[in-house]
Amino acid sequence: MEKLIPFINDLHDILSQAGLSSELNLPSIVVIGSQSVGKSSLLESIVGREFLPRGKGIVTRRPIEIQLHQVLDAEQGWFEFMDKRGEKIFESEDIRKLIETETDKIAGKNKGISPVPIKVKYFSKDILDLQLIDLPGITKNPVGDQPQDIEQKVLDIVMPFIKNQNSLILAVSKASDDLATSDGLKLARSVDPNGLRTIGVITQLDLMDEGADILNDLLNQTYPLQLGYVGVIMRGQKDIQKNKTIIEQIKDEKTFFEKHKIYKKYSEKMGVNFLVKTLNMNFIQHIKKALPIIRETIISLVQVKEYDLKQYGDYDNLETKENKNLLVLTLISKFSNSYKDMLEGRCLDITSKELIGGSRIIYVFNDNFRKTIQKMNPFDILSDDEIRTAIKNANGIRPSLFVPEGAFELLVRQQISRLRMPSIECSHIVFEELRRVINQISIPEIERFDTLANRISEVIENLLNKCLRQTEEIISNLIDIELGYINTSHPDFVSGMDMVNKDEQRSSQQQVQLQKEKSPLQSENESNKFFNFWPFKNNKQTELYDSKLDNLNKKRKSNINNEKQQKLQQIEESQILQQQIVINKIVSVNQQYFVNDPKRQLPQVPNTIKITDRPSKREQTEMDMIKDLLISYFNLVKKNICDSVPKTIITFLVNQSRNFCERELIGLLYKQELVDELLQENQFIQKSRAEAKQTLISLRTCLNLLNDLDSKF
C-alpha cells in the first residue's frame, strides 16, 4: 500500500512531461483557505523545511505543486525545482528564491496572480509520501497590480483543482473564525457538499483567549466532515524572527496539547504529526478508489492518440517512387469519392443538425429559386398607363378592333427578360455550394500535405468555373428561346379569342338586360357613342361611315357560320375601307388648312406625349384583356423556367463536376515530376506526429506502472 503514493507521483511526472496533466485528473491534496490563515506555514511544518515565500498580503501567487518522496537512506534532504530533474538543491533559501523568481516571471512583481503552476519535489527520510498543492489565499480587496475582481480571479485558479473528484481538500481555518463563515470550508462545500473528501484544519489554537476553546469544532460536531478536523499550532511572526525552528515548534505544539486542560484528552489526535499521518492514510485510500478510473482514462487516451497517429500517417513508408505514386492516386480517389458522396447523400453525419452537401442544392432550387420566380408579378413593375401606351403605340394610325398582338408581345417579352438574372444567379449560388462541399471534405491523409491539398482545391476550382461558364450560357439560351418565339398556340395558354368569346357572351347578356330597361332612343345613342370619335361630326359621309361600321361590328359579334354571309361581310368591309380613304383625304386637307391658318385656335402638339387622362371604357377593356393574357403566358414561362433551369444546373454544373472530378485531378496532378513536390509534408503534421508518438510512449509507461502495481497487490 505504501507504494501507491510514489506511484501517483511518478504518474504526475510522466503526464506532466507529456503535457497531459489536464487530461488525466490524478489524486492530490489541495490546500485552500483565506489569505493569512497559515497555509504556507502549515505546509512548511508538514515538509519540515522553511522554503516557501513569506511576507504581508497575498504571498502564494501561483499554484505550487509539492511532491514529497520518502528516501530512507538519504543522509540529507534536497529539493528539485520544476523540470530540472536530477539537479539537487539543498538550501531552503535557494529554493525560496527560485520560487519567487519564477512567480515574478509569470505573475509580475506587484502582487499579480497566475494559474500556471510551479512544481517542487522534496526528498528526505523524515517525511511520508504525499502530493500537495498550495493555492493562492482567498482575498477580497485588490492591492498592487491585482485586478478589481481579484476574488473571482483567485476562484478561477482554485476551482479546477478542487473540482477534481480524485483530489482531497485540506480546508484551513483559524481558531478565532466561525466555521460556518469560513471561506475555505464554504468553498469546499460548493464542490463536496457531503464532505466526503474534505479534511478540516484549525490553526492558531494557542492564540485564543484564556478559557475559550473550540472542542466541539475539533470533535466534528459543529460543521461535520466525513474525514473530521485536526488542530495544529504554527509558528508566529515573533517565533520566526527569533529563528525558532520547525522541530522546536512541533515539540512546543505537543507540549501545548498534552498540558491543555481541555485538549489533553485528545492530544494524540492533534498536531502536525497526526495530520501528516492522517493525510497519508486517507490519500492512500483515496488513490485506491481512483485507480480503476485512472486506468480507464489512460486506456481511453491511448486509443485516442493511436487514432490521431493513424490519421497523421506513417511517413517512413514513402521512401520509394512507387509508394509515392500509389499514395497520390489513392488520395485523389479518396477526395473524388468523398465529393461524390457529399453530393449524393452517402456521407451522412448523424450528429449533424443542419443540411449538408446535395441537400443544400435542392434547398436552393425549392426554397430560393422556385419561390422567388413564382412570386414575380408582371404588374410589380408595369402600370396601367404603360399598358395603354403600349397598346396605342402598337396600333399606330390604325386603331385595332381587338387587342393588338404587337403590344402583347412587347409586354410579355419585357416580363420574360426579368427571369434571366435570377436564373443565372441560381447557378452562382449552386457554384458556391459546391465550393462549400469541397471545403467541408476533411481527409487527414491529404491534410498532411499542404501542396497536394492546395493543388487539389485549385484543380477543382478551375473545373467548377469551366462548368459554370457553360451553365450560364445554356441558361441564357433558355431565356432567349422563350423570348424568340411567343407561342400563343400553347394548349395551356388562354388565347385572346377565348377571352373575347367569353366577354361577348357576358356583354350580350348584359345588353339584353339593359335593352329591357331602356328606351329605344337611349339604346341608339349609346350604341353610337363608342365609335363617335371622328374630327368632323357634322360631315354626312362620316356619319354614314360610323353607321355602317357600327352595323359591321354588330354582325361580327353574332358568330356567323354561313359562308354566304361571310362573303357579303367581306364585300361590305371593302366598301367601307374605300369610303374611309376618301374621308381621310378630306380630313388631311382640312387639317392642312387649319395648320396654315395664322388665326388657328388649337394648342401646339408637345414633343413628349404621355397618357394622363382616365381610360375610356374600351381602353379599360383592352387593358384588362392584356393583363389576363400577360398573366396567363408569364405563368406558363415561369413554369418552364422553374423546371428547366434546375435541370440545366444539375446536368452541366453539378453532374459534370462530379463525373470529371477524378479525371481532371489525375490528368493534372499524377505526373512523375510533381510527386515529390505534392508530398512535401506539413511541418505542423510532423510535429504533431512526433508529439503523438511521445504521448503514446508516456501513456503506455503509465499502463505498465499500473500493471506492475496490480501484480504486487
Side-chain angles (χ1 to χ4, degrees):
M1 297 294 289
E2 64 276 3
K3 298 290 185 180
L4 286 177
I5 297 178
F7 163 74
I8 290 298
N9 287 337
D10 290 341
L11 289 186
H12 272 285
D13 292 340
I14 295 170
L15 296 178
S16 177
Q17 292 175 3
L20 296 172
S21 299
S22 59
E23 298 187 36
L24 190 64
N25 294 322
L26 294 176
S28 57
I29 301 173
V30 182
V31 184
I32 61 172
S34 299
Q35 180 180 310
S36 302
V37 296
K39 295 191 285 62
S40 296
S41 297
L42 176 63
L43 286 170
E44 286 184 337
S45 297
I46 292 174
V47 175
R49 297 286 295 268
E50 302 176 37
F51 68 100
L52 293 174
R54 290 188 173 277
K56 294 182 179 180
I58 185 168
V59 178
T60 304
R61 299 186 289 128
R62 289 176 60 182
I64 302 177
E65 297 182 6
I66 307 168
Q67 286 186 11
L68 302 184
H69 297 264
Q70 186 182 46
V71 182
L72 297 178
D73 57 351
E75 297 180 0
Q76 182 182 0
W78 74 89
F79 292 94
E80 288 185 3
F81 185 72
M82 298 294 283
D83 297 326
K84 299 176 181 179
R85 191 167 186 175
E87 182 179 337
K88 297 181 180 181
I89 302 172
F90 294 96
E91 297 298 328
S92 299
E93 186 64 26
D94 293 340
I95 196 69
R96 180 186 290 117
K97 289 181 179 179
L98 286 172
I99 292 174
E100 290 175 347
T101 302
E102 192 66 26
T103 299
D104 293 341
K105 184 188 300 183
I106 302 298
K109 296 183 178 182
N110 197 13
K111 301 300 182 181
I113 61 174
S114 170
V116 181
I118 295 174
K119 303 179 188 298
V120 177
K121 298 179 183 179
Y122 182 61
F123 302 83
S124 175
K125 63 180 179 180
D126 300 323
I127 57 174
L128 295 178
D129 295 316
L130 287 175
Q131 169 79 19
L132 302 165
I133 301 177
D134 185 19
L135 296 173
I138 302 168
T139 184
K140 307 290 185 182
N141 301 314
V143 296
D145 290 337
Q146 293 175 354
Q148 292 299 316
D149 58 343
I150 182 62
E151 182 179 7
Q152 184 59 47
K153 296 293 185 184
V154 171
L155 292 178
D156 292 341
I157 295 175
V158 172
M159 291 304 292
F161 288 96
I162 63 176
K163 280 183 177 180
N164 177 11
Q165 295 298 314
N166 294 329
S167 66
L168 287 177
I169 302 173
L170 197 63
V172 183
S173 306
K174 291 190 294 186
S176 58
D177 292 341
D178 185 356
L179 293 185
T181 60
S182 168
D183 289 332
L185 287 173
K186 182 180 178 181
L187 196 58
R189 181 60 60 94
S190 67
V191 296
D192 182 29
N194 298 321
L196 300 178
R197 54 187 182 90
T198 303
I199 299 175
V201 177
I202 302 177
T203 65
Q204 303 179 7
L205 276 72
D206 55 328
L207 301 180
M208 297 186 67
D209 295 336
E210 187 176 352
D213 68 83
I214 54 168
L215 183 62
N216 289 336
D217 294 346
L218 293 172
L219 294 179
N220 205 21
Q221 296 176 357
T222 304
Y223 196 92
L225 297 174
Q226 185 74 25
L227 303 179
Y229 292 85
V230 177
V232 297
I233 294 176
M234 311 275 67
R235 292 180 303 163
Q237 190 63 31
K238 291 182 180 180
D239 295 331
I240 295 173
Q241 291 175 353
K242 293 179 181 180
N243 295 323
K244 186 177 182 179
T245 64
I246 294 175
I247 296 176
E248 292 173 347
Q249 176 59 34
I250 291 177
K251 290 180 180 179
D252 291 345
E253 178 190 54
K254 183 178 180 182
T255 302
F256 173 81
F257 284 119
E258 289 177 348
K259 292 183 177 182
H260 196 280
K261 61 180 180 179
I262 295 177
Y263 301 139
K264 62 182 180 181
K265 293 182 180 180
Y266 309 98
S267 61
E268 294 181 355
K269 295 184 179 180
M270 301 290 175
V272 173
N273 289 332
F274 178 76
L275 175 62
V276 171
K277 293 177 182 178
T278 301
L279 291 175
N280 182 267
M281 179 184 65
N282 285 291
F283 194 43
I284 290 173
Q285 296 299 324
H286 203 65
I287 293 172
K288 286 179 63 178
K289 294 178 182 178
L291 281 179
I293 299 175
I294 293 173
R295 178 187 292 277
E296 291 177 4
T297 306
I298 292 176
I299 292 174
S300 177
L301 287 173
V302 167
Q303 293 173 346
V304 170
K305 296 303 176 182
E306 285 178 344
Y307 176 79
D308 290 344
L309 188 59
K310 183 179 179 181
Q311 299 305 307
Y312 295 140
D314 189 359
Y315 196 74
D316 297 335
N317 292 332
L318 299 179
E319 296 179 354
T320 63
K321 277 282 186 183
E322 290 76 10
N323 289 342
K324 290 182 178 180
N325 293 337
L326 180 60
L327 179 61
V328 170
L329 281 177
T330 302
L331 295 181
I332 288 175
S333 179
K334 279 190 176 183
F335 181 88
S336 303
N337 291 333
S338 296
Y339 182 60
K340 294 176 183 177
D341 291 343
M342 287 281 284
L343 292 177
E344 296 173 1
R346 291 195 295 268
C347 183
L348 298 178
D349 182 3
I350 59 175
T351 63
S352 179
K353 296 182 180 180
E354 61 181 29
L355 297 179
I356 59 173
S359 60
R360 291 180 61 92
I361 295 176
I362 298 301
Y363 174 86
V364 170
F365 290 153
N366 294 336
D367 287 69
N368 280 18
F369 177 68
R370 183 170 285 111
K371 288 184 178 180
T372 301
I373 296 298
Q374 290 174 348
K375 287 180 182 178
M376 281 188 174
N377 190 329
F379 311 114
D380 292 338
I381 62 171
L382 191 61
S383 66
D384 288 353
D385 289 342
E386 290 174 333
I387 296 176
R388 289 173 61 196
T389 303
I391 294 174
K392 288 182 178 296
N393 288 335
N395 286 335
I397 62 174
R398 293 188 180 88
S400 63
L401 299 178
F402 298 99
V403 176
E405 185 176 352
F408 166 72
E409 291 191 359
L410 174 67
L411 295 174
V412 81
R413 282 193 173 94
Q414 180 183 356
Q415 299 306 312
I416 294 173
S417 298
R418 295 173 59 195
L419 302 176
R420 188 185 302 272
M421 286 309 299
S423 300
I424 293 177
E425 185 180 355
C426 181
S427 67
H428 283 267
I429 295 176
V430 174
F431 171 80
E432 293 299 328
E433 289 300 325
L434 293 176
R435 293 182 63 190
R436 181 189 181 95
V437 169
I438 292 171
N439 293 331
Q440 287 179 335
I441 295 175
S442 178
I443 302 176
E445 296 93 328
I446 294 179
E447 293 174 0
R448 292 169 53 192
F449 311 105
D450 287 344
T451 305
L452 178 60
N454 293 335
R455 293 295 298 274
I456 287 177
S457 298
E458 181 182 339
V459 170
I460 300 302
E461 185 86 10
N462 293 336
L463 175 62
L464 290 177
N465 281 315
K466 188 192 305 181
C467 295
L468 177 63
R469 288 192 295 270
Q470 182 182 8
T471 305
E472 286 180 349
E473 183 178 353
I474 295 174
I475 290 175
S476 185
N477 290 338
L478 290 176
I479 303 299
D480 291 340
I481 289 171
E482 295 291 348
L483 290 171
Y485 177 60
I486 307 300
N487 184 16
T488 56
S489 301
H490 195 285
D492 294 338
F493 174 61
V494 179
S495 66
M497 290 306 301
D498 294 337
M499 292 184 180
V500 170
N501 292 335
K502 291 179 181 179
D503 290 341
E504 287 178 350
Q505 293 176 4
R506 191 183 304 111
S507 62
S508 63
Q509 293 175 358
Q510 293 176 354
Q511 188 77 14
V512 172
Q513 184 66 25
L514 290 173
Q515 289 295 334
K516 293 180 180 179
E517 298 176 357
K518 296 181 180 179
S519 64
L521 182 59
Q522 291 175 328
S523 300
E524 183 179 357
N525 291 337
E526 290 185 2
S527 64
N528 295 329
K529 184 178 180 181
F530 182 80
F531 293 99
N532 197 9
F533 55 84
W534 293 98
F536 306 101
K537 296 182 180 179
N538 294 327
N539 189 296
K540 293 183 180 181
Q541 291 180 338
T542 301
E543 292 175 357
L544 179 62
Y545 172 76
D546 288 344
S547 175
K548 291 183 178 181
L549 184 61
D550 184 61
N551 293 334
L552 177 60
N553 288 334
K554 289 181 180 180
K555 290 180 181 180
R556 287 188 174 183
K557 294 181 181 179
S558 61
N559 294 326
I560 301 173
N561 296 322
N562 192 302
E563 293 182 359
K564 293 181 179 181
Q565 291 179 347
Q566 289 180 357
K567 291 180 179 180
L568 291 174
Q569 183 178 351
Q570 292 176 357
I571 295 172
E572 291 180 3
E573 187 175 292
S574 175
Q575 293 175 352
I576 291 172
L577 290 175
Q578 291 176 359
Q579 292 176 1
Q580 184 179 4
I581 293 173
V582 175
I583 292 172
N584 288 339
K585 291 180 179 180
I586 296 173
V587 171
S588 176
V589 172
N590 290 333
Q591 287 179 345
Q592 184 68 28
Y593 170 78
F594 285 113
V595 169
N596 296 328
D597 186 3
K599 298 181 180 180
R600 71 176 191 181
Q601 299 178 1
L602 296 179
Q604 184 70 28
V605 178
N607 292 330
T608 303
I609 302 176
K610 294 185 178 181
I611 298 177
T612 57
D613 58 333
R614 295 181 60 184
S616 65
K617 183 177 180 181
R618 174 176 178 174
E619 288 175 336
Q620 187 63 50
T621 303
E622 290 175 341
M623 283 194 301
D624 292 341
M625 186 175 295
I626 281 284
K627 287 182 178 181
D628 291 339
L629 293 173
L630 275 177
I631 291 175
S632 176
Y633 196 83
F634 192 48
N635 287 339
L636 179 63
V637 175
K638 288 195 296 183
K639 182 179 179 181
N640 293 340
I641 294 300
C642 286
D643 181 62
S644 58
V645 168
K647 288 180 177 178
T648 301
I649 294 173
I650 289 294
T651 301
F652 294 98
L653 180 56
V654 178
N655 287 350
Q656 281 198 10
S657 66
R658 180 194 62 186
N659 297 335
F660 297 155
C661 171
E662 188 168 2
R663 188 183 72 179
E664 289 286 318
L665 290 173
I666 292 176
L668 295 174
L669 300 183
Y670 184 61
K671 297 179 180 179
Q672 293 294 331
E673 63 272 15
L674 292 178
V675 170
D676 291 334
E677 178 186 351
L678 295 176
L679 296 183
Q680 287 293 328
E681 195 170 28
N682 186 304
Q683 292 183 356
F684 173 78
I685 297 296
Q686 294 178 356
K687 181 180 177 182
S688 299
R689 184 193 296 109
E691 291 176 352
K693 287 182 177 180
Q694 186 58 45
T695 300
L696 269 177
I697 293 173
S698 300
L699 291 172
R700 285 169 178 160
T701 302
C702 293
L703 279 179
N704 292 334
L705 290 175
L706 274 171
N707 295 332
D708 293 341
L709 189 66
D710 291 341
S711 64
K712 294 177 182 178
F713 290 103

